[in-house]
Each structure stands twice: as C-alpha cells, then as structure tokens.
Amino acid sequence: MALHNVSNNRVSEIIRSAFQRDFEVDRNLPPWARRTHPVVRRHLGTFWRVMPLQPDIMLRWYVIFALAVMSTLLAPFMYTVVLPLCLIGLALLPFSLIYYARTLYELASDASRSMVREIEGKTLDLLLTSPMTAREVLSSKIAATLWRQSDPMTTLLQIVLFSQLPTHMLIYINAFPPGDYPYAMQFLTVIVFGASLLRIPLEMFMVSSIGHYIGTTTRGRSTAAAQTLAIIVVYFISVNMFRLTHLPPLADLIVNAVIPVVAPLVIGLGFMTLTLRQFHD
C-alpha cells in the first residue's frame, strides 16, 4: 500500500511539474514582464494564457538563412536557388503591411484606452501607492499590452523570417551589383534582414509607450487613441521616406538597419520617461 501511495505521489509530481512548465514559459523574463505579475494578469484577464515568442528558434533560422546568403560569395549558383523565392515575399508583402497596420492600431488603442480607464476609474493612484514603484507599474502595463498582441507579433515575425529574405536580396542586387560593389549585397542583405526582424517588437514597444503617455495626458478614450495613431503615422512616414531614394552602401545601412532599430527604442524609452514624470506630477 505504501509503495502504491509513493508511486501515485510521484506521478502527481510529474504531472504538476509538466503543467507548471507549460504555463511558466515566461519564467526567464523579468518579474514585472511575466503574466503572473498582478498588473499584467489584471490587464490580460482571460487572455493570460497566451504564448510568448520563441526567439531561440527564430535565431537559428536567421543564422541558416544568413549563411545561405553568404554562401553566394563562394557559390554564385545559389542565386538561382534563392532569388525565385522573392515572388513569395512580394506576394505576401501587401498582406504583411495590412496585418502589421491592424496590429499596431489595436496595440495603440489598447495602450491609450487602458491608461485613460485607469485615470477615470481612480485606480492609477491606487497602483502608485502600492509597494510597486512607478516604473514597475508602467513597465508591467506596457508588457501587458504587448502580451495581448503576442500571437500577431509571432505571426508577423514568421512572415518576415520565411518570406522577405529573397526580396531583400533582389533589391540589393539591383542597387549594388556584385561586379561594382563586391560583398556589399551579401552583407547589406543579412544586416537589413536582421533589422527587419528586430524592428517589429521594438516598434510595438514604442507604440505601447506612446499610447500610455497619450492616455496619461489626454481625457477621452477615443481622443487618446486618435492622437496616438497620428503620432505613429508621422513616425512611419519620417523613418521610411529616405528608403525610396538610392543611397551609397553606408548610408543605406544607416537608413535601413540602424535607424529602424535605434529610433523606436529611443523614442519608446523617451515616452516612458515622460509618462513617469506625469505620474509624479
């Protein structure tokens, strides 16, 4: 009988640990970004069982694709293998842009309206008087809005990862022919392709930060959402307008790889700082 009880207890522990692993996939994140954090859990409600990104898998695929591009330096016949795939990327591009625009719209609306609700319901003051710091409260609220868009973010990253590399190659082969610019096409393609992956979560972080700031300073949920969307439209016009011109390799690298990665990070952190100042006023 005792042996039977021990066996049942062991089976129960195995099942319990497996269940916990399934719902603690975000345990490597900071405490304020986990779904179990009270602010995050409160905002997510019934959507708390969303799955996080899997950057390790995406990184492995990126390395494989990058090596395939670099192999054209030694085996030019690889062009004939990779370039026909650009038709897939071009076909998916309109869908990707529409899907991304819709995701950013939902994210901006959720972030701004969430903060307006906190202020109108007088719950923000309660959060700020809790043992949590103002930065932790704001960071958790931003994390919660990003969690709600976890599935669309994963879908967007997979679309870019598996379809846009040949398109980048085609653009840079025409802009910088290998005969005139040795190695430029390969290095620019790999770097810009990596930046196109990084910019998606960074731009979503920026949009959420802007939305929370606008929600803190604006009364009215619809007004806050509209102002947030207006700022986002101005940003994307500004950051993409120079991509339509032909630039030398170094300038092209800055416009297509450095700015799209650095700008949303800096802007997002800047709006977080402005929001924290509003909390203290």
Side-chain angles (χ1 to χ4, degrees), residues 18-93:
F19 180 83
Q20 290 175 346
R21 282 196 300 269
D22 287 341
F23 291 97
E24 292 178 1
V25 289
D26 55 355
R27 60 186 179 274
N28 293 326
L29 296 175
W32 53 264
R34 298 174 187 171
R35 293 167 299 170
T36 52
H37 191 279
V39 175
V40 178
R41 183 71 176 267
R42 172 173 166 267
H43 183 82
L44 290 178
T46 58
F47 298 95
W48 74 276
R49 291 183 178 180
V50 294
M51 294 298 292
L53 297 174
Q54 296 178 322
D56 53 336
I57 297 177
M58 294 186 180
L59 179 60
R60 285 198 291 268
W61 277 107
Y62 170 75
V63 171
I64 292 172
F65 292 147
L67 291 176
V69 174
M70 299 306 293
S71 68
T72 58
L73 291 171
L74 302 176
F77 69 88
M78 288 294 294
Y79 287 120
T80 60
V81 177
V82 178
L83 285 179
L85 299 177
C86 69
L87 297 176
I88 300 175
L90 293 174
L92 289 175
L93 185 59

Side-chain angles (χ1 to χ4, degrees), residues 7-25:
S7 178
N8 286 340
N9 291 336
R10 180 58 178 168
V11 172
S12 299
E13 290 177 2
I14 293 174
I15 295 175
R16 188 182 303 109
S17 62
F19 180 83
Q20 290 175 346
R21 282 196 300 269
D22 287 341
F23 291 97
E24 292 178 1
V25 289

Side-chain angles (χ1 to χ4, degrees), residues 70-267:
M70 299 306 293
S71 68
T72 58
L73 291 171
L74 302 176
F77 69 88
M78 288 294 294
Y79 287 120
T80 60
V81 177
V82 178
L83 285 179
L85 299 177
C86 69
L87 297 176
I88 300 175
L90 293 174
L92 289 175
L93 185 59
F95 166 77
S96 304
L97 294 176
I98 294 173
Y99 190 71
Y100 192 31
R102 177 186 172 186
T103 301
L104 293 182
Y105 169 79
E106 293 178 352
L107 176 61
S109 300
D110 185 29
S112 57
R113 291 174 178 174
S114 168
M115 188 59 76
V116 172
R117 283 195 301 267
E118 296 282 11
I119 296 175
E120 291 179 346
K122 307 297 183 183
T123 53
L124 181 60
D125 293 335
L126 293 176
L127 289 174
L128 295 178
T129 56
S130 68
M132 294 180 290
T133 64
R135 181 174 293 276
E136 181 181 354
V137 171
L138 177 59
S139 299
S140 295
K141 288 187 66 62
I142 291 175
T145 57
L146 294 177
W147 271 114
R148 295 199 69 166
Q149 300 299 326
S150 177
D151 290 341
M153 188 190 304
T154 300
T155 301
L156 286 166
L157 286 171
Q158 289 175 344
I159 292 174
V160 174
L161 181 64
F162 292 106
S163 68
Q164 295 306 309
L165 176 63
T167 304
H168 287 302
M169 285 190 66
L170 181 63
I171 292 173
Y172 283 118
I173 284 178
N174 289 315
F176 306 109
D180 300 330
Y181 299 90
Y183 314 122
M185 184 280 294
Q186 287 83 359
F187 284 102
L188 284 173
T189 298
V190 170
I191 295 173
V192 173
F193 178 53
S196 65
L197 292 170
L198 287 175
R199 68 181 296 179
I200 292 177
L202 290 174
E203 286 174 349
M204 294 182 73
F205 158 71
M206 176 194 69
V207 169
S208 182
S209 299
I210 295 173
H212 280 87
Y213 172 73
I214 297 299
T216 306
T217 58
T218 305
R219 297 299 171 263
R221 301 177 189 180
S222 299
T223 303
Q227 290 185 11
T228 303
L229 292 172
I231 294 175
I232 294 169
V233 170
V234 172
Y235 165 79
F236 277 102
I237 292 176
S238 301
V239 81
N240 289 303
M241 62 190 312
F242 295 106
R243 303 181 69 181
L244 302 176
T245 60
H246 180 72
L247 301 169
L250 181 58
D252 188 277
L253 180 67
I254 294 173
V255 168
N256 290 301
V258 177
I259 293 178
V261 171
V262 175
L265 180 60
V266 172
I267 294 173

